[in-house]
Amino acid sequence: MELRCGGVGSQAVGRRMDGDSRDGGGGGCKDAGSEDYENLPTSASLSTHMTAGAMAGILEHSVMYPVDSVKTRMQSLNPDPKAQYTSVYGALKKIIRTEGFWRPLRGLNVMMLGAGPAHALYFACYENMKRTLNAVFHHQGNSHLANGIAGSMATLLHDAVMNPAEVVKQRLQMYDSPHRSALRCVWTVWRTEGLGAFYRSYTTQLTMNIPFQSIHFITYEFLQEQVNPHRGYNPQSHILSGGLAGALAAAATTPLDVCKTLLNTQENMALNLANISGRLSGMANAFRMVYQLNGLPGYFKGMQARVIYQMPSTAISWSVYEFFKYFLTKHKLESRTPY
């Protein structure tokens, strides 16, 4: 599909949607709006990045939430005999049969409330940091180091917003959770454990997400160079690159995710089995407890579910983000052009 240059207005959006931009022989389409899609981040506004990021985050977490619920349970160190699962499909089927159709969606509301602003900050920070650092490191080229650093910086903002939502979400997802709603969970945690409980796993989350996002962004940008060298709006390439990048990053950081889940849920049966009174805190303590209870295999509990969750999640996130970034920027360019 091609948006052709035919008049003053169409010149402002003269670009191919597949990224293969072609200038006419007389260069009649050479105004500010005819820049290729790969240059959109330069002209896209902060609000465009934030809106596109928020939409991507909400859709990503909403669509894959049932699998996320299964992942949380499969990472349990000492699960109830009634909550032991061998596969993602089998777990979903069992949860729906024994706990009700809507049970895998409990906590979705709080996740959506956190995902919108968290991903808005995440993508806006990434795009701006990537552009700035690439100019420094590679003279406007594409530097993998710059992409990795930009992803790490974006993670600091993302996790600051997302961590409290993660704590509430995972406590609601656990089998036989005493919390029946997000508001009750927030109130109970605040009253019994204090405000710090919402950030107890923050350092672990950062320790996990900084390498996760570095691997994720570097892999995504590398794959885009291979399958979409013109960096055009190409949904298939965004889905493929996003999915593979998410799967690789998820598999590599599963041990850290297991520790994060333990710190977020404060799994009572596991704490009692390890003779720990009170609350577990600190990544080092979480690592020791996982090894104490399950040995080396414990660090990879739920890896299948994590990869199955992250692969489509990142594919959805990137494809939705790139679409809205393209659509919103194109709309703004069109609206500024007199007809």
Side-chain angles (χ1 to χ4, degrees):
M1 178 177 178
E2 182 177 359
L3 298 176
R4 300 183 182 278
C5 301
V8 176
S10 59
Q11 286 178 356
V13 292
R15 65 171 69 86
R16 290 175 61 88
M17 288 185 71
D18 63 2
D20 184 15
S21 177
R22 298 176 185 174
D23 294 329
C29 295
K30 282 298 212 179
D31 69 340
S34 64
E35 58 192 332
D36 295 332
Y37 178 75
E38 63 264 27
N39 292 327
L40 284 183
T42 302
S43 60
S45 67
L46 180 65
S47 63
T48 295
H49 292 310
M50 295 187 76
T51 302
M55 294 300 297
I58 290 171
L59 285 171
E60 167 196 345
H61 286 285
S62 299
V63 172
M64 297 306 300
Y65 192 82
V67 180
D68 186 46
S69 294
V70 170
K71 176 189 73 74
T72 296
R73 292 195 180 193
M74 292 183 80
Q75 288 179 336
S76 174
L77 296 182
N78 189 34
D80 188 286
K82 296 178 182 178
Q84 293 181 346
Y85 315 107
T86 57
S87 70
V88 175
Y89 174 75
L92 276 174
K93 188 176 178 181
K94 185 175 181 180
I95 292 170
I96 292 171
R97 186 180 71 249
T98 60
E99 301 176 57
F101 180 80
W102 299 107
R103 184 61 182 90
L105 296 178
R106 185 182 294 176
L108 176 61
N109 54 348
V110 72
M111 179 51 55
M112 291 176 67
L113 285 173
H119 279 71
L121 293 171
Y122 170 70
F123 277 107
C125 178
Y126 173 70
E127 291 281 14
N128 284 279
M129 289 295 297
K130 179 181 75 170
R131 185 171 67 249
T132 301
L133 292 173
N134 269 311
V136 172
F137 293 153
H138 216 258
H139 303 292
Q140 298 183 352
N142 187 36
S143 164
H144 295 307
L145 176 61
N147 298 334
I149 295 174
S152 300
M153 296 299 292
T155 300
L156 294 174
L157 291 176
H158 172 274
D159 287 2
V161 176
M162 204 65 172
N163 207 86
E166 282 278 346
V167 171
V168 176
K169 175 206 75 171
Q170 291 197 306
R171 294 198 182 203
L172 289 168
Q173 288 173 333
M174 292 297 287
Y175 176 76
D176 201 25
S177 171
H179 311 291
R180 291 294 174 263
S181 72
L183 284 176
R184 287 189 179 183
C185 181
V186 170
W187 171 247
T188 302
V189 172
W190 193 332
R191 182 170 50 85
T192 59
E193 301 177 46
L195 184 62
F198 295 104
Y199 285 94
R200 185 178 287 126
S201 65
Y202 184 57
T203 54
T204 302
Q205 183 110 332
L206 287 177
T207 305
M208 176 188 74
N209 278 346
I210 286 176
F212 175 91
Q213 298 300 354
S214 296
I215 295 170
H216 170 207
F217 280 116
I218 290 171
T219 305
Y220 177 81
E221 298 287 356
F222 172 77
L223 290 173
Q224 281 290 286
E225 289 178 352
Q226 309 308 309
V227 301
N228 186 20
H230 296 293
R231 303 309 292 265
Y233 174 62
N234 187 324
Q236 294 89 342
S237 77
H238 301 316
I239 291 171
L240 176 65
S241 300
L244 291 176
L248 177 63
T253 57
T254 295
L256 293 164
D257 192 47
V258 171
C259 295
K260 182 209 74 174
T261 298
L262 176 60
L263 290 170
N264 277 345
T265 59
Q266 295 292 308
E267 191 183 340
N268 287 328
M269 293 180 67
L271 293 178
N272 292 335
L273 195 62
N275 296 318
I276 294 177
S277 58
R279 302 291 173 185
L280 181 70
S281 62
M283 183 181 65
N285 290 330
F287 260 95
R288 279 193 292 269
M289 182 171 168
V290 171
Y291 185 78
Q292 178 185 345
L293 294 180
N294 293 107
L296 286 177
Y299 294 116
F300 297 95
K301 289 176 74 70
M303 185 170 76
Q304 177 197 40
R306 178 165 163 78
V307 171
I308 290 173
Y309 167 75
Q310 285 292 349
M311 191 170 186
S313 288
T314 47
I316 292 169
S317 181
W318 276 111
S319 58
V320 171
Y321 174 71
E322 296 284 4
F323 168 76
F324 275 99
K325 187 174 71 172
Y326 168 78
F327 175 79
L328 292 172
T329 304
K330 171 178 169 289
H331 177 72
K332 287 183 178 180
L333 290 171
E334 287 177 330
S335 65
R336 291 173 186 167
T337 305
Y339 288 92

